[in-house]
Amino acid sequence: QGDAGSTFYVITQGEATVVRKAPDDPDTELILAELKRGVYFGERALIKDQSRYAGIRAKTKLCTLYISRADFEETLGLLSSLVPLSYNENL
């Protein structure tokens, strides 16, 4: 959470939890989601060019595929062209 986002991930093995510090109590972590094989994360920071909204914590041994922003844009084009106008601001 809060780090610069420069990588997109896809889980190929294992499970993880999406966590975020509570806005009113930084010592408390909120569990936002449970992730498993085939699920991706890291797209929000790439698409919005913002810091990471949440953190990922492995629950089991976790293996991922990943692609950097530079490689993603080289392969698929500029991310800004892929963002729909109605992209959810709460992501």
Side-chain angles (χ1 to χ4, degrees):
Q1 178 178 334
D3 294 340
S6 60
T7 310
F8 174 83
Y9 301 88
V10 179
I11 297 175
T12 59
Q13 178 183 330
E15 297 179 0
T17 303
V18 181
V19 295
R20 181 166 173 77
K21 292 180 182 174
D24 56 343
D25 182 6
D27 293 328
T28 301
E29 281 191 339
L30 306 172
I31 297 175
L32 304 179
E34 302 289 331
L35 308 178
K36 59 184 181 178
R37 184 175 183 241
V39 175
Y40 58 87
F41 60 92
E43 80 288 353
R44 180 182 189 273
L46 290 182
I47 290 171
K48 293 185 157 206
D49 198 24
Q50 296 176 344
S51 60
R52 298 246 184 246
Y53 178 76
I56 304 296
R57 180 172 297 124
K59 291 174 58 176
T60 65
K61 179 180 176 183
L62 190 66
C63 296
T64 65
L65 297 174
Y66 63 91
I67 186 170
S68 69
R69 175 193 302 273
D71 289 342
F72 189 97
E73 289 182 346
E74 182 179 323
T75 303
L76 299 174
L78 291 177
L79 290 169
S80 59
S81 67
L82 300 175
V83 179
L85 294 176
S86 62
Y87 191 75
N88 187 343
E89 288 298 320
N90 295 322
L91 290 177

